[in-house]
């Protein structure tokens, strides 16, 4: 006797009769069960465990997915590459939902590249009733340029965009899902370029989106000497996008100095932002055209340009325009914080301890009170991390409201004095650096030039910051006291938001000054501090007699010390090594001299060791309360490993009752 019980459309057999008959019925029932449609897991799809029954022959169908209508083909097929067996199955999945919100999550970054790439996997091209896979090269290109956008919101790279699992090479007959997008981009580039190596710069204002597009197109055009990267995000999630120029972009080359240029720190001071956009286009174009001066600058220097440090404030200022913009509208960030008052006040620490014999005069640690007692803007934090990540030698921050170069210290050595001359130990170097820009500017160093209210008579267009007006928490003082970087503040003119007709004349006034400033980094001395085995020593100090401010060596032991011509006694020292001093003569006709040091290992005597100052160990203890690296409490995952609490974007998925996309959690 045979009882057949129907449960969930599958036949479960209870048999008490012929074994042969039972086996046949059992096999038939199992076949029926296996024919029930179900969605393959990503893991099954990746290893080929999913199979489509012969009776369900896949057929090409018209593309009807709303978020994939602009793909360069009209027919798709199911099951797709990751195992969705129908359009309905796909539309109910977290993968398709991600494509629908990715533009908002990434604030327009990498859009529509990511969406089109995702569509090529979730709704692949169908030809002759056969599924075609997208090209691996397209995936790798997009991932290289967009991974930073996912990192910025602490999201893992989506599993279905795994270039090795779901994409194939040209030899396997792949297709490019971004072909039409590239054609449109080529047309757009042709509108601002002659299509060759020469670039026509449009001297107009650019929105944040336009600025990002121009920087990326410039980097693409000069990909062998340039790349874009993000240093972080603003309060409102806008990318703080930088562009780098170097003969080896993305790498620090031994003995090659690095510089940075920053614009738009105050959102309503917009001229510097535009000048840096034009500068990036100019450097790329002139390099390709064979301009020897530009080629020398880029081949010997690593240049980092951040056109906008405050994109949120810029949008407020731009909404009013140059005719209505006041001196404060859009100045602060979206938290209403003045970014140039938001850095740690290390200058007060320097003043309070400078009389001590064993006080560190360089790389002063950030006090813990800064992290606990101050509201820190994400833009400030991003720049601090940026400063610590690169061995910058010089820097310029472009502002507006006056026509002058200001140099540190910006905070008065007497707190009650708002205008008090407050020099650094490198006063003469800073003066020379400031004069280099001012003298190369068309009108800045001319004392007859009409100023904007302040009096800089007989100063040649430069001033000590605290002597002009004193303030604490400035970016220039922080650069000098926390790193090796010498930063000046460039006030470009009285009008913070000039009309567009002024942009080209302002470019002409500042172009030579910007180039001369970049060339200044090749002055003084440079070299490598090594041990007896030829290994570079990181963090060794380079001291110059008579100048109480040391600089330190970079990761591989190389250093750059700005010096004026003359005779100098230079000493290299490192913990656990002998000190070595050299007397050097730097002639006026030689811009930079090479001075190397070899230090020998010696037994460490704590009582005599300069490096045995308690506070020195705390320099590397950046962000002691881990406020920015970790936004929430930690919890344990199912396997017992530590992971962060769900990030802010998790609500996009959790509130709709779909399968939780844990594959988007970086620490899951």
């Amino acid at each position: 006797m045979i009882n057949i019980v129907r449960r969930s459309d599958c036949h479960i057999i209870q048999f008490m009769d012929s074994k042969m008959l039972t086996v046949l019925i059992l096999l038939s029932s199992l076949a029926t069960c296996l024919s029930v449609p179900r969605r393959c897991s990503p893991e099954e799809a990746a290893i080929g465990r999913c199979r489509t029954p012969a009776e369900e022959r896949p057929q090409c169908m018209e593309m009807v997915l709303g978020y994939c209508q602009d793909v360069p083909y009209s027919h798709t097929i199911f099951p797709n590459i990751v195992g969705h067996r129908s359009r309905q199955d796909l539309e109910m999945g977290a993968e398709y939902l991600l494509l629908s919100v990715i533009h908002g999550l990434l604030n327009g970054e990498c859009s529509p590249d990511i969406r089109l790439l995702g569509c090529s996997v979730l709704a692949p091209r169908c030809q002759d009733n056969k599924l075609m896979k997208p090209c691996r090269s397209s995936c790798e290109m997009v991932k290289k340029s967009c991974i930073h956008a996912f990192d910025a919101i602490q999201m893992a790279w989506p599993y279905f965009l795994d270039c090795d699992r779901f994409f194939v090479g040209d030899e396997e007959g792949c297709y490019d899902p971004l072909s039409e997008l590239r054609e449109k981009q080529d047309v757009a580039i042709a509108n601002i370029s002659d299509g060759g190596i020469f670039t026509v710069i449009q001297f107009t204002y650019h929105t944040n989106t336009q600025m990002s597009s121009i920087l990326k197109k410039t980097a693409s055009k000069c990909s062998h000497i340039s790349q874009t990267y993000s240093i972080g995000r603003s309060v409102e999630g806008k990318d703080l996008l930088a562009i780098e120029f170097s003969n080896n972009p993305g790498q620090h080359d031994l003995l090659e100095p690095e510089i940075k240029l920053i614009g738009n720190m105050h959102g309503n001071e917009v001229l510097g932002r535009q000048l840096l956009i034009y500068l990036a286009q100019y450097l790329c174009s002139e390099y390709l055209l064979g301009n020897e001066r530009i080629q020398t600058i880029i081949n010997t220097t690593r240049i980092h340009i951040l056109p906008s440090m405050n994109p949120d404030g810029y949008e407020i200022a731009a909404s009013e325009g140059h005719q209505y913009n006041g001196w404060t509208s859009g100045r602060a960030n979206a938290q209403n914080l003045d970014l140039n008052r938001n850095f740690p006040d290390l200058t007060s620490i320097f003043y309070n301890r400078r009389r001590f014999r064993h006080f560190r005069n360089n790389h002063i640690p950030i006090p813990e009170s800064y992290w606990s007692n101050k509201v820190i803007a994400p833009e400030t934090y991003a720049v601090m991390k940026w400063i610590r990540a690169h061995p910058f030698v010089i820097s310029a921050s472009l502002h507006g409201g006056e026509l002058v170069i200001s140099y540190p210290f910006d905070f008065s050595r007497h707190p009650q004095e708002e205008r008090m001359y407050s020099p650094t130990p490198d006063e003469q170097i800073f003066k020379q650096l400031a004069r280099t820009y001012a003298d190369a500017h068309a009108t800045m160093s001319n004392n007859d030039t009409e100023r904007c209210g302040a009096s800089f008579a007989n100063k040649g267009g430069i001033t000590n910051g605290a002597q002009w007006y004193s303030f604490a928490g400035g970016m220039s003082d922080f650069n000098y006291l926390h790193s090796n970087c010498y930063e000046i503040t460039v006030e470009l003119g009285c009008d913070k938001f000039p009309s567009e007709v002024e942009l080209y004349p302002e470019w002409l006034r500042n172009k030579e000054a910007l180039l001369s400033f970049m060339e200044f980094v090749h002055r003084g001395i440079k070299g490598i501090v090594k041990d007896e085995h030829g290994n570079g020593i990181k963090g060794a100090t380079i001291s110059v007699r008579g100048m109480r401010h040391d600089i330190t060596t970079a990761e591989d032991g190389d250093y750059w010390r700005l010096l004026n011509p003359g005779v100098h006694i230079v000493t290299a020292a490192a913990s656990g090594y002998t000190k070595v001093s050299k007397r050097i003569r730097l002639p006026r006709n030689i811009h930079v001299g090479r001075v190397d040091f070899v230090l020998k290992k010696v037994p460490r005597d704590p009582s005599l060791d300069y490096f045995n100052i308690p506070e020195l160990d705390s320099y590397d203890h950046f962000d002691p309360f881990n406020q920015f690296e970790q936004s929430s409490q930690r919890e344990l995952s199912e396997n017992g490993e530590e992971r962060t609490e769900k990030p802010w974007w998790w609500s996009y998925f959790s509130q709709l009752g779909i399968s939780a996309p844990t594959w988007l959690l970086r620490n899951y």
Side-chain angles (χ1 to χ4, degrees):
M1 179 178 180
I2 302 173
N3 296 322
I4 303 178
V5 182
R6 188 176 182 86
R7 294 179 184 171
S8 303
D9 295 326
C10 292
H11 294 84
I12 300 177
I13 317 304
Q14 296 178 349
F15 58 92
M16 297 177 60
D17 208 337
S18 169
K19 293 183 179 180
M20 182 61 69
L21 178 61
T22 302
V23 171
L24 290 174
I25 296 176
L26 177 60
L27 292 175
S28 175
S29 301
L30 290 175
T32 304
C33 286
L34 293 174
S35 68
V36 175
R38 73 175 186 89
R39 174 183 167 185
C40 296
S41 69
E43 292 74 17
E44 290 174 321
I47 62 176
R49 287 178 57 188
C50 290
R51 294 290 185 267
T52 303
E55 58 270 22
E56 292 184 11
R57 298 188 182 279
Q59 299 287 327
C60 289
M61 63 179 66
E62 189 174 350
M63 174 69 72
V64 293
L65 290 164
Y67 292 106
C68 298
Q69 285 298 304
D70 51 348
V71 293
Y73 49 88
S74 58
H75 289 81
T76 186
I77 192 170
F78 288 96
N80 63 13
I81 297 176
V82 296
H84 296 106
R85 300 183 65 84
S86 67
R87 178 174 64 85
Q88 292 78 11
D89 192 14
L90 169 60
E91 289 178 336
M92 291 299 293
E95 298 89 347
Y96 189 63
L97 175 59
L98 176 64
L99 295 187
S100 71
V101 298
I102 196 68
H103 180 86
L105 291 178
L106 301 184
N107 199 43
E109 185 79 4
C110 298
S111 181
D113 309 57
I114 290 289
R115 180 174 53 77
L116 292 176
L117 197 68
C119 286
S120 71
V121 174
L122 302 180
R125 181 177 179 180
C126 183
Q127 185 172 320
D128 299 329
N129 292 327
K130 292 183 180 179
L131 182 151
M132 298 184 65
K133 288 190 175 183
C135 293
R136 185 181 299 113
S137 58
S138 298
C139 177
E140 291 172 343
M141 180 189 67
V142 172
K143 184 174 183 179
K144 181 180 179 181
S145 61
C146 297
I147 187 65
H148 72 275
F150 285 84
D151 290 341
I153 62 172
Q154 298 181 348
M155 179 181 282
W157 185 255
Y159 83 88
F160 61 91
L161 297 184
D162 187 321
C163 302
D164 293 324
R165 291 171 65 191
F166 304 120
F167 298 79
V168 297
D170 294 336
E171 65 278 3
E172 299 174 73
C174 69
Y175 70 96
D176 182 3
L178 306 179
S179 57
E180 288 189 359
L181 178 63
R182 289 202 186 95
E183 290 176 3
K184 292 178 181 178
Q185 290 175 340
D186 291 342
V187 172
I189 292 175
N191 290 332
I192 59 171
S193 169
D194 65 351
I197 58 177
F198 184 73
T199 299
V200 178
I201 300 175
Q202 288 187 321
F203 292 94
T204 58
Y205 283 114
H206 299 95
T207 66
N208 289 322
T209 301
Q210 290 169 338
M211 175 185 68
S212 176
S213 177
I214 288 175
L215 295 181
K216 290 179 179 179
K217 289 173 183 176
T218 300
S220 176
K221 187 174 184 177
C222 289
S223 58
H224 59 302
I225 58 164
S226 180
Q227 70 167 10
T228 57
Y229 64 95
S230 174
I231 71 166
R233 291 205 166 226
S234 69
V235 174
E236 296 180 347
K238 298 179 182 67
D239 223 8
L240 302 179
L241 190 66
I243 186 169
E244 168 197 342
F245 289 91
S246 167
N247 61 348
N248 189 16
Q251 302 270 345
H252 169 69
D253 287 341
L254 194 68
L255 291 173
E256 183 173 279
E258 302 196 25
I259 69 175
K260 59 182 169 70
L261 300 167
I262 300 175
N264 205 204
M265 185 183 198
H266 292 140
N268 61 335
E269 297 171 9
V270 301
L271 179 57
R273 166 190 171 111
Q274 291 303 135
L275 292 180
L276 294 183
I277 295 173
Y278 307 151
L279 177 64
Q281 293 176 282
Y282 177 81
L283 291 176
C284 171
S285 177
E286 291 299 305
Y287 191 98
L288 296 179
L289 287 167
N291 184 320
E292 292 185 4
R293 182 186 185 189
I294 301 303
Q295 289 182 339
T296 299
I297 291 175
I298 292 176
N299 290 339
T300 60
T301 319
R302 192 179 180 195
I303 305 160
H304 304 257
I305 300 174
L306 179 69
S308 182
M309 182 179 166
N310 187 2
D312 297 346
Y314 172 78
E315 284 196 344
I316 296 174
S319 66
E320 297 187 9
H322 74 93
Q323 292 180 327
Y324 304 102
N325 183 258
W327 276 60
T328 58
S329 180
R331 174 183 174 90
N333 76 339
Q335 297 168 291
N336 200 30
L337 295 175
D338 187 328
L339 298 180
N340 207 25
R341 310 292 189 274
N342 197 235
F343 284 81
D345 175 18
L346 304 182
T347 322
S348 294
I349 298 175
F350 177 85
Y351 289 149
N352 291 336
R353 302 182 184 178
R354 59 183 171 175
R355 297 179 184 85
F356 298 168
R357 180 182 178 187
H358 289 298
F359 164 60
R360 185 161 196 167
N361 55 40
N362 64 91
H363 293 73
I364 298 176
I366 298 172
E368 292 193 357
S369 59
Y370 172 75
W371 303 105
S372 57
N373 299 335
K374 197 176 185 71
V375 177
I376 306 167
E379 298 91 343
T380 306
Y381 181 75
V383 169
M384 288 196 295
K385 285 186 66 177
W386 192 34
I387 291 170
R388 292 169 62 94
H390 299 276
F392 293 123
V393 181
I394 61 174
S395 171
S397 178
L398 277 54
H399 289 248
E402 255 297 347
L403 186 63
V404 72
I405 305 294
S406 169
Y407 59 87
F409 286 124
D410 283 325
F411 189 45
S412 172
R413 57 183 173 175
H414 194 296
Q416 306 305 318
E417 293 290 340
E418 293 186 359
R419 290 178 173 83
M420 184 178 188
Y421 176 61
S422 305
T424 68
D426 283 287
E427 170 72 1
Q428 297 306 315
I429 294 295
F430 271 117
K431 277 187 173 181
Q432 191 61 41
L433 182 60
R435 286 197 183 105
T436 296
Y437 195 104
D439 291 347
H441 188 278
T443 59
M444 191 175 289
S445 63
N446 187 344
N447 289 325
D448 296 329
T449 300
E450 183 179 350
R451 304 290 170 173
C452 319
S455 176
F456 302 111
N458 303 319
K459 290 188 177 180
I462 68 172
T463 185
N464 172 258
Q467 191 172 23
W468 180 15
Y469 67 93
S470 174
F471 66 92
M475 185 166 66
S476 293
D477 284 11
F478 176 79
N479 270 274
Y480 181 67
L481 293 175
H482 192 67
S483 74
N484 293 329
C485 188
Y486 293 63
E487 181 174 275
I488 60 173
T489 301
V490 181
E491 299 284 346
L492 293 165
C494 306
D495 194 346
K496 292 188 175 186
F497 204 132
S499 63
E500 283 193 338
V501 296
E502 289 297 318
L503 294 179
Y504 179 61
E506 286 293 351
W507 165 249
L508 295 180
R509 294 186 190 106
N510 286 276
K511 181 181 72 172
E512 178 58 33
L514 289 166
L515 297 180
S516 297
F517 176 82
M518 290 189 286
E519 291 171 327
F520 185 90
V521 75
H522 297 282
R523 298 194 184 189
I525 59 173
K526 66 178 180 179
I528 307 174
V529 179
K530 301 179 181 179
D531 61 20
E532 296 173 281
H533 305 290
N535 302 312
I537 301 175
K538 174 187 176 181
T541 62
I542 303 297
S543 308
V544 179
R545 183 177 296 177
M547 301 174 68
R548 199 178 179 191
H549 182 78
D550 304 337
I551 58 100
T552 58
T553 55
E555 194 73 29
D556 297 319
D558 47 346
Y559 75 90
W560 306 262
R561 193 14 166 138
L562 298 177
L563 287 174
N564 286 326
V567 177
H568 304 279
I569 305 298
V570 183
T571 301
S575 180
Y577 293 87
T578 57
K579 288 184 179 180
V580 175
S581 297
K582 293 186 177 183
R583 183 178 184 273
I584 65 166
R585 178 177 176 271
L586 193 61
R588 290 189 175 275
N589 60 340
I590 296 180
H591 281 173
V592 63
R594 176 76 180 268
V595 182
D596 294 334
F597 294 89
V598 177
L599 307 185
K600 297 181 180 180
K601 273 279 189 182
V602 294
R604 185 172 178 177
D605 185 349
S607 63
L608 300 176
D609 193 352
Y610 166 78
F611 295 87
N612 193 40
I613 303 172
E615 71 168 15
L616 301 190
D617 293 334
S618 66
Y619 176 78
D620 290 326
H621 192 36
F622 188 56
D623 189 1
F625 302 103
N626 208 18
Q627 295 182 131
F628 291 86
E629 300 294 347
Q630 174 183 320
S631 60
S632 58
Q633 296 290 325
R634 288 191 168 273
E635 61 179 14
L636 295 180
S637 61
E638 293 179 359
N639 58 10
E641 295 180 355
E642 207 175 49
R643 69 164 185 254
T644 56
E645 198 174 87
K646 303 300 188 297
W648 60 269
W649 44 262
W650 187 253
S651 60
Y652 280 86
F653 305 94
S654 60
Q655 296 177 357
L656 296 179
I658 63 173
S659 177
T662 53
W663 36 268
L664 283 176
L665 297 175
R666 298 178 64 180
N667 298 317
Y668 188 81

